[in-house]
Amino acid sequence: MSRIVMKFGGTSVADLDKIANAANKVAQEVENGNQVVVIVSAMSGKTNELVGWVRETKPDYDQAEYDAVVSSGENVTSGLMALRLQQMGIKARSWQGWQVPVKCTGHHEAARIDDIPPENMNAAFDAGYAVNVVAGFQGVMDDNRIATLGRGGSDTTAVAFAAALKADRCDIYTDVDGIYTTDPRIVPNARKLHRISYEEMLELASQGAKVLQTRSVELARSYHVPLRVLSSFEDDISDKVGTVVCREKDIMENIKAVKGVAYSRDEAKVTLVSVADRPGVAAAIFGPLADAGVNVDMIVQNISEEGRTDMTFSCPVDQVLRAEKALKAAHEADDINYKEIIVDDIVAKVTIVGNGMRSHAGVASKMFKVLADEGVNIRVITTSEIKVSVLVDRKYMELAVRALHDAFELETA
Amino acid sequence: MSRIVMKFGGTSVADLDKIANAANKVAQEVENGNQVVVIVSAMSGKTNELVGWVRETKPDYDQAEYDAVVSSGENVTSGLMALRLQQMGIKARSWQGWQVPVKCTGHHEAARIDDIPPENMNAAFDAGYAVNVVAGFQGVMDDNRIATLGRGGSDTTAVAFAAALKADRCDIYTDVDGIYTTDPRIVPNARKLHRISYEEMLELASQGAKVLQTRSVELARSYHVPLRVLSSFEDDISDKVGTVVCREKDIMENIKAVKGVAYSRDEAKVTLVSVADRPGVAAAIFGPLADAGVNVDMIVQNISEEGRTDMTFSCPVDQVLRAEKALKAAHEADDINYKEIIVDDIVAKVTIVGNGMRSHAGVASKMFKVLADEGVNIRVITTSEIKVSVLVDRKYMELAVRALHDAFELETA
């Protein structure tokens, strides 16, 4: 007998029909002889509604109350899923985070799962429950108050249960049928990947492919949980479908240097011109930005003149005002010194990702040549062992993605 | 410093504006120097939506799952109310039933509150919280699963907290401004009562005045909790407004024999004609009815002929089919024996209530004369120490209520 975790996101449990559809998939796994833990999100739209009420009631809301309110959406779907499974003759029950318990630490609204003692859940399986349905996205703090894990947290819940209950795999059911070489809306011949490594998935996820929450992939990597992404809306749930995210050594097909192309449309580039170049200047700039909640991504420093430097970074467009405010305050406080701030808020980021880059030389230079041939000017470059990212003018983003997808022949395996 | 419980029903927290309005009343009590426990229902309509989903998913639903789903409505309002109070500068926090904990026993969907250990709530007051906001209608069973108290259960939650925390009073905010001598929609000069005894309120509540849940009044009587019913939608919350439900000895105005007239429109009268009259026949009839979930109200037995009797009872109209089915099954099983079942499903019940009946003779006969003078035929009569109920043709119900209200001069104090 295997034990598996199945996670259904908001669009997969959006209404009673969708819940019934998801329950059918659970029933298949039960018929296959598996013990199943089902993790559910709130019906799509519900969480946004609840968050809206919280923000309207108190714009600078108490995050513990936010968690108490917003977690209720998952409670509803977990009960309805258990009822639907019972209606199909399957012995099932629901669990809210505190009942398991899913022990959390850290900050409300962005809590981390600290521990999931498996005793209660194992006792339920021993008592004959074929399915334990758990409300995702939530847990309980030491002081018995409810915690939530941040948007997309149900993926993390699923992986954490798979690790705690030593599940054989963790299937993430969603509204796409797997991970693609790039966004098929931009490149129609994008190819679905059968397998991808945790590291590659992390780069794709953080680089703008929105299928899996980054933390869930990190957690899966730490605990070697085989993750599978597959569609809620297709009948086949056999091994043949979806994309498995697993260890690099479990992937046989890694012949290519580049595995996928990711993008992020709404980026901004901020340049501090002629910063006094002294030890500690980077900390003086990026400390206040972090305190202001600005997610700085790429950072480039160029020497411009003797003793002065230009400092460039990128961040999401909607954080630019916050960034400027923090930098001006630091300037007025004499913590940093610069001539001016130049903002370019119509850029986008394009990234190529692949474990194969480690062994293939010349991948970055090929990328630059492809973009140059298309007349796409590169504003900023950053690299890691398994990815190269560039900032380009936003209007060239789709062109760049298509050109790179073609050049690295990602449409074929 | 006083400690008070304030309960807001679904229409009083129906949206964010109404929650803000209710929070204003809480703020007034905080300014008056009170420690406040606020009990909230779900936003009106929410519970019905959740119940609908449960029934649609599994018509013969698991009541533990029903409770898990349906309790979520109160969780939302308790958090939003706490946030609203915080927004007004008041130190407040929300509590879900299991966090307090509100310990329950009995059956899911109709649980009873067994105990509310006051330690956590007192600790919060000691820590400087001026207001503890509690999700009504819910608690937790011994096995850590969520329980609900049945429809209207938030009234019971409020009274139970008032008893457990030794509150000085329990104010039930609702969409009417008090308890009236009868329904003002039927008798325009119905008078609002300033005080009414627990016993009278119980008769009015169970006889069709829908303002307070019967169990909450019983609980208030047991623990001597002074209950007040008042409007959420009027500004004045001083001692002058609303109706106080209290001990008979705390009421000075009990000069009148009759305090109020209640009615229940959708009643049915069922007669078993010529039942074999033997010991145990009543049990043989009403046992199966109870098992079938028929709420039998009035019961009258007439001798019709030697060794035979007619047995008449009343029940809500929508339970008649169930009653007939149960009786026919008992007949076929030879548990009971009758000639025929006669159903009159266009009757209504009219009741006069008043502690003063104990000391005033002739109240019942005056009632019968008033109805006779109006040409209203009485079908069935039952009495208790403080009430007289009659079944009449439904078309005469309003006429009977008005005539009795006039005859007993209830429009004047």
Side-chain angles (χ1 to χ4, degrees), chain A residues 24-208:
Chain A
N24 288 339
K25 298 190 186 307
V26 177
Q28 279 186 58
E29 295 289 9
V30 171
E31 276 162 31
N32 291 342
N34 293 308
Q35 290 182 333
V36 184
V37 176
V38 176
I39 311 291
V40 286
S41 299
M43 293 170 164
S44 60
K46 283 288 158 191
T47 302
N48 284 341
E49 181 183 55
L50 295 167
V51 169
W53 287 342
V54 167
R55 287 183 196 277
E56 192 177 335
T57 302
K58 184 160 167 59
D60 58 328
Y61 52 81
D62 172 356
Q63 292 172 306
E65 297 300 345
Y66 171 101
D67 287 352
V69 171
V70 173
S71 59
S72 65
E74 280 73 14
N75 294 348
V76 171
T77 33
S78 61
L80 293 176
M81 175 63 82
L83 285 163
R84 178 67 206 180
L85 290 165
Q86 290 174 1
Q87 178 70 4
M88 299 166 74
I90 294 169
K91 192 166 179 193
R93 63 156 288 190
S94 71
W95 297 81
Q96 299 182 5
W98 62 272
Q99 290 174 318
V100 175
V102 178
K103 294 188 175 180
C104 288
T105 56
H107 296 289
H108 280 283
E109 200 187 336
R112 283 177 297 108
I113 296 178
D114 191 41
D115 188 23
I116 302 179
E119 288 77 14
N120 287 335
M121 205 115 296
N122 284 334
F125 281 127
D126 291 345
Y129 284 94
V131 184
N132 285 310
V133 184
V134 180
F137 172 65
Q138 58 175 255
V140 62
M141 295 289 201
D142 266 352
D143 64 359
N144 242 6
R145 299 204 70 175
I146 293 169
T148 68
L149 309 179
R151 283 331 246 326
S154 292
D155 288 345
T156 303
T157 305
V159 175
F161 270 87
L165 296 172
K166 303 190 192 315
D168 298 277
R169 65 172 200 274
C170 179
D171 286 349
I172 308 286
Y173 286 83
T174 180
D175 49 2
V176 299
D177 63 354
I179 309 295
Y180 279 73
T181 49
T182 194
D183 186 340
R185 287 170 302 182
I186 292 182
V187 183
N189 65 351
R191 181 174 50 86
K192 191 169 68 185
L193 296 163
H194 187 53
R195 286 176 171 254
I196 186 172
S197 72
Y198 297 120
E199 292 76 16
E200 289 167 327
M201 188 66 224
L202 279 172
E203 291 295 352
L204 285 177
S206 62
Q207 297 300 323

Side-chain angles (χ1 to χ4, degrees), chain A residues 158-328:
Chain A
V159 175
F161 270 87
L165 296 172
K166 303 190 192 315
D168 298 277
R169 65 172 200 274
C170 179
D171 286 349
I172 308 286
Y173 286 83
T174 180
D175 49 2
V176 299
D177 63 354
I179 309 295
Y180 279 73
T181 49
T182 194
D183 186 340
R185 287 170 302 182
I186 292 182
V187 183
N189 65 351
R191 181 174 50 86
K192 191 169 68 185
L193 296 163
H194 187 53
R195 286 176 171 254
I196 186 172
S197 72
Y198 297 120
E199 292 76 16
E200 289 167 327
M201 188 66 224
L202 279 172
E203 291 295 352
L204 285 177
S206 62
Q207 297 300 323
K210 299 192 172 58
V211 180
L212 282 175
Q213 196 198 24
T214 304
R215 286 162 63 208
S216 69
V217 182
E218 285 169 350
L219 197 61
R221 178 175 59 172
S222 299
Y223 289 91
H224 298 172
V225 173
L227 267 183
R228 184 166 60 139
V229 174
L230 70 173
S231 169
S232 304
F233 306 113
E234 292 182 9
D235 289 335
D236 189 358
I237 63 170
S238 75
D239 289 353
K240 295 190 208 87
V241 302
T243 298
V244 173
V245 189
C246 59
R247 285 182 291 186
E248 195 182 341
K249 66 176 189 179
D250 296 332
I251 304 179
M252 294 291 104
E253 65 190 35
N254 252 348
I255 353 167
K256 292 207 170 172
V258 175
K259 200 67 154 287
V261 183
Y263 65 87
S264 174
R265 185 183 305 271
D266 296 314
E267 298 289 316
K269 178 167 80 78
V270 179
T271 302
L272 296 186
V273 178
S274 191
V275 178
D277 189 17
R278 54 175 174 76
V281 66
I285 291 171
F286 295 107
L289 289 172
D291 294 343
V294 177
N295 296 311
V296 171
D297 179 18
M298 310 165 90
I299 297 176
V300 181
Q301 185 176 359
N302 296 321
I303 301 297
S304 60
E305 55 184 291
E306 188 66 30
R308 312 290 294 182
T309 185
D310 291 348
M311 187 75 84
T312 296
F313 65 90
S314 71
C315 70
V317 158
D318 58 8
Q319 297 179 1
V320 165
L321 286 179
R322 229 187 289 166
E324 284 189 283
K325 198 173 153 195
L327 292 169
K328 283 175 184 165

Side-chain angles (χ1 to χ4, degrees), chain B residues 228-398:
Chain B
R228 184 165 62 139
V229 174
L230 69 173
S231 170
S232 304
F233 306 114
E234 292 182 10
D235 289 335
D236 189 359
I237 63 170
S238 75
D239 288 354
K240 297 190 206 84
V241 302
T243 299
V244 174
V245 189
C246 58
R247 286 184 289 187
E248 194 182 343
K249 67 175 188 178
D250 296 331
I251 303 180
M252 294 292 104
E253 65 189 35
N254 252 348
I255 354 168
K256 293 205 166 171
V258 175
K259 198 65 152 290
V261 183
Y263 66 87
S264 174
R265 185 184 305 271
D266 296 315
E267 299 289 315
K269 179 168 80 78
V270 179
T271 302
L272 296 186
V273 178
S274 191
V275 178
D277 189 17
R278 54 173 175 78
V281 67
I285 290 170
F286 295 106
L289 289 173
D291 293 344
V294 177
N295 297 310
V296 171
D297 178 18
M298 310 165 89
I299 298 176
V300 182
Q301 184 175 1
N302 296 320
I303 300 298
S304 60
E305 57 182 289
E306 188 67 30
R308 311 291 292 184
T309 185
D310 291 349
M311 189 73 86
T312 297
F313 66 89
S314 71
C315 69
V317 158
D318 59 7
Q319 297 179 0
V320 165
L321 286 179
R322 230 187 288 165
E324 284 190 283
K325 198 174 155 197
L327 291 169
K328 283 174 182 163
H331 190 270
E332 276 162 28
D334 260 347
D335 293 335
I336 55 175
N337 176 288
Y338 56 80
K339 272 197 189 138
E340 61 173 327
I341 301 177
I342 299 173
V343 173
D344 181 356
D345 59 3
I346 48 167
V347 293
K349 185 169 61 171
V350 176
T351 302
I352 56 172
V353 173
N355 274 331
M357 284 187 204
R358 291 189 178 120
S359 48
H360 288 69
V363 171
S365 64
K366 178 171 175 182
M367 179 186 195
F368 305 150
K369 182 170 187 310
V370 168
L371 295 176
D373 287 350
E374 297 288 344
V376 176
N377 199 12
I378 296 172
R379 306 286 177 170
V380 176
I381 299 169
T382 56
T383 63
S384 80
E385 262 195 286
I386 65 163
K387 75 134 202 258
V388 183
S389 292
V390 295
L391 278 191
V392 300
D393 286 355
R394 193 172 298 150
K395 63 182 173 184
Y396 294 129
M397 187 189 80
E398 285 87 352

Side-chain angles (χ1 to χ4, degrees), chain B residues 84-296:
Chain B
R84 179 65 205 178
L85 290 166
Q86 290 174 2
Q87 177 70 6
M88 299 166 74
I90 294 169
K91 193 167 178 191
R93 63 156 286 187
S94 71
W95 297 81
Q96 300 183 6
W98 62 273
Q99 290 174 318
V100 175
V102 178
K103 294 187 174 181
C104 288
T105 56
H107 296 288
H108 280 284
E109 200 185 338
R112 283 177 297 106
I113 295 177
D114 191 40
D115 188 23
I116 302 179
E119 289 76 14
N120 287 335
M121 203 115 300
N122 284 333
F125 281 128
D126 291 345
Y129 283 95
V131 184
N132 285 308
V133 185
V134 180
F137 172 67
Q138 60 175 255
V140 62
M141 296 289 203
D142 267 351
D143 65 358
N144 243 6
R145 299 204 69 175
I146 293 169
T148 68
L149 309 178
R151 281 334 245 325
S154 292
D155 288 344
T156 303
T157 304
V159 175
F161 270 86
L165 297 172
K166 304 191 191 313
D168 299 277
R169 65 173 200 274
C170 179
D171 286 348
I172 307 288
Y173 284 84
T174 180
D175 49 2
V176 298
D177 62 355
I179 308 296
Y180 279 73
T181 50
T182 194
D183 186 340
R185 288 171 301 183
I186 292 182
V187 182
N189 64 352
R191 182 173 51 85
K192 190 171 66 186
L193 296 163
H194 187 52
R195 285 174 171 255
I196 187 172
S197 72
Y198 297 121
E199 293 76 15
E200 290 167 328
M201 188 65 225
L202 279 171
E203 290 295 353
L204 285 178
S206 62
Q207 296 299 322
K210 297 188 174 63
V211 181
L212 283 176
Q213 196 199 24
T214 304
R215 286 161 65 209
S216 69
V217 182
E218 286 169 349
L219 197 61
R221 179 174 59 171
S222 300
Y223 289 92
H224 298 172
V225 173
L227 265 182
R228 184 165 62 139
V229 174
L230 69 173
S231 170
S232 304
F233 306 114
E234 292 182 10
D235 289 335
D236 189 359
I237 63 170
S238 75
D239 288 354
K240 297 190 206 84
V241 302
T243 299
V244 174
V245 189
C246 58
R247 286 184 289 187
E248 194 182 343
K249 67 175 188 178
D250 296 331
I251 303 180
M252 294 292 104
E253 65 189 35
N254 252 348
I255 354 168
K256 293 205 166 171
V258 175
K259 198 65 152 290
V261 183
Y263 66 87
S264 174
R265 185 184 305 271
D266 296 315
E267 299 289 315
K269 179 168 80 78
V270 179
T271 302
L272 296 186
V273 178
S274 191
V275 178
D277 189 17
R278 54 173 175 78
V281 67
I285 290 170
F286 295 106
L289 289 173
D291 293 344
V294 177
N295 297 310
V296 171

